[in-house]
Amino acid sequence: MRTSSNLESHVTSLIQLVPAAALLVLMACAGLGSAAYAAEPGSGLQVTVLVYSGRPNPTFAIEDEAGVLDLHEALSAAEPYADFQRETVVPSILGYHGLRLETRSDAEGLPKVILIYDGAIELRNGEKRFLADPGRRLERKLIEQAIERDLLDETTLRAIRQELGGKPDNVP
Amino acid sequence: MSRRHWGMAGAVAFLVVAVGACCSLPSYTPAFWNDGGQVQWNNNCYNYANNKRTDTFAQPGTAAGSPWTALTCPAVDVAAVADGIERLPASGACPKKECRIALVVWPGGDYHWYRLDTSGRWSHKPGGTQATDRDNSGNLITNPETADRGPYTDFCGYYCSCSSSTEGQGHENIQ
């Protein structure tokens, strides 16, 4: 009886461990599929909206795995900008002049610095590479994220909208 | 060492300090600021106009303990003057061979500064972007009052800044 009771107790304990084990397996699988984009403390990207000259520019962080993956997918799908003529995509002008993304660690598998403006993307990781951003899709998407975070006051938003040639998609 | 020698040494030391702090006009040397990294992205128009690298995106009034409180000409003017920047006298000449700089404001949005180089032309550094001697239309800046300044529609006035012929080594106290 005692042996039978011990066996029963072990089986009950094992059954209780099944959900936890399943969760561990799922987490491991998720990690395997996107090991390069694991959201570790201090990882992710800092996005700076380049709009001011004197005062500090608005910034926000993309720290969640989905956000980093979205960006990685957008960059992976972007075509090279073969005949880009200028030294950098960010012009030295007053008013809105693009976005600067800086990766906080090397874990994301992304370039250290990414500059985006007016249909062009500049990747800086030792050397420069230029990609196309047709319809300023990625640029608009990141501006929308800044708006969702309530980072842009009305005066600033008006200037950005004017420069983007209309209201950014899905902007209220 | 005799008292006379000490006196001479003191005078020499004073001269060295005085000469070191002499204001001089800057040349247009964008390469110093346009490194695409630490210097470029951490120094703004206020740093550039005063020709002083701080790597802090310097703000008018911060060094004096009274940073700007509004994005208007009067508010930024008061903050910059607190830092020791002098308003251009009515004579139109900076009294101590300082560099002439100019303040403009995007009402409620931001402020911006230009500086006059030894070339006789004006140059500026819009935020973390590269320093340039061209305006928003791509024209060389001969007059900041008439240059294409985008949304910075208010021209506030001219000031005198103790600059340096060595890039990034201006003598004003800004932070």
Side-chain angles (χ1 to χ4, degrees):
Chain A
M1 282 296 285
R2 194 174 177 182
T3 309
S4 169
S5 174
N6 277 349
L7 184 65
E8 199 172 294
S9 168
H10 282 307
V11 169
T12 307
S13 299
L14 279 172
I15 288 170
Q16 284 171 344
L17 283 173
V18 165
L23 185 63
L24 280 174
V25 169
L26 278 173
M27 285 171 69
C29 289
L32 194 66
S34 57
Y37 316 118
E40 296 163 4
S43 67
L45 300 108
Q46 174 157 302
V47 181
T48 303
V49 181
L50 306 173
V51 62
Y52 303 133
S53 173
R55 64 190 280 204
N57 284 303
T59 63
F60 64 94
I62 299 177
E63 289 173 321
D64 61 304
E65 193 170 331
V68 177
L69 271 171
D70 270 359
L71 182 65
H72 194 276
E73 281 169 14
L75 294 176
S76 300
E79 299 284 334
Y81 199 133
D83 56 346
F84 190 80
Q85 300 291 324
R86 298 194 310 269
E87 185 188 338
T88 177
V89 303
V90 172
S92 292
I93 57 170
L94 296 172
Y96 173 68
H97 45 272
L99 297 153
R100 181 174 193 262
L101 285 62
E102 190 168 6
T103 53
R104 288 174 171 174
S105 74
D106 295 332
E108 287 72 30
L110 291 166
K112 183 72 184 151
V113 175
I114 302 164
L115 302 170
I116 305 170
Y117 180 69
D118 197 20
I121 302 167
E122 178 178 337
L123 308 179
R124 287 188 180 188
N125 208 12
E127 58 182 24
K128 289 184 198 174
R129 274 200 311 136
F130 296 100
L131 304 175
D133 180 26
R136 305 177 79 166
R137 208 176 306 144
L138 181 58
E139 185 180 2
R140 288 172 193 273
K141 191 174 178 178
L142 291 165
I143 289 293
E144 284 165 26
Q145 291 183 27
I147 294 167
E148 284 164 11
R149 288 165 165 87
D150 206 18
L151 290 174
L152 308 173
D153 59 45
E154 196 51 46
T155 303
T156 304
L157 189 53
R158 202 178 310 126
I160 293 175
R161 280 178 175 155
Q162 192 177 351
E163 205 287 327
L164 282 170
K167 208 167 76 169
D169 300 339
N170 305 322
V171 173
Chain B
M1 199 187 292
S2 69
R3 184 179 290 181
R4 189 175 165 211
H5 285 113
W6 276 113
M8 283 176 67
V12 169
F14 173 78
L15 277 172
V16 167
V17 171
V19 168
C22 262
C23 307
S24 50
L25 297 181
S27 59
Y28 178 55
T29 315
F32 174 83
W33 305 92
N34 302 348
D35 68 344
Q38 176 76 10
V39 178
Q40 183 180 318
W41 291 103
N42 295 295
N43 291 278
N44 62 3
C45 59
Y46 195 48
N47 289 107
Y48 182 78
N50 286 293
N51 192 15
K52 185 158 187 178
R53 174 188 171 182
T54 64
D55 291 358
T56 59
F57 229 69
Q59 299 298 308
T62 297
S66 52
W68 57 268
T69 53
L71 292 161
T72 61
C73 283
V76 181
D77 167 282
V78 165
V81 169
D83 277 345
I85 314 298
E86 295 170 33
R87 297 184 187 100
L88 183 71
S91 66
C94 290
K96 292 175 287 187
K97 294 184 179 176
E98 300 112 312
C99 170
R100 196 185 292 192
I101 62 177
L103 170 64
V104 299
V105 158
W106 166 9
D110 190 25
Y111 62 86
H112 181 63
W113 295 85
Y114 296 87
R115 82 180 196 196
L116 182 62
D117 298 314
T118 50
S119 62
R121 282 201 299 268
W122 294 80
S123 61
H124 64 151
K125 184 176 184 300
T129 70
Q130 296 184 336
T132 179
D133 56 0
R134 295 181 183 270
D135 67 10
N136 271 28
S137 295
N139 296 319
L140 290 168
I141 304 169
T142 55
N143 182 349
E145 294 179 55
T146 56
D148 183 349
R149 307 192 303 264
Y152 295 72
T153 51
D154 289 0
F155 185 84
C156 307
Y158 295 102
Y159 297 79
C160 300
S161 170
C162 188
S163 191
S164 170
S165 54
T166 305
E167 206 62 26
Q169 300 294 315
H171 303 291
E172 295 293 354
N173 183 26
I174 62 167
Q175 286 176 18

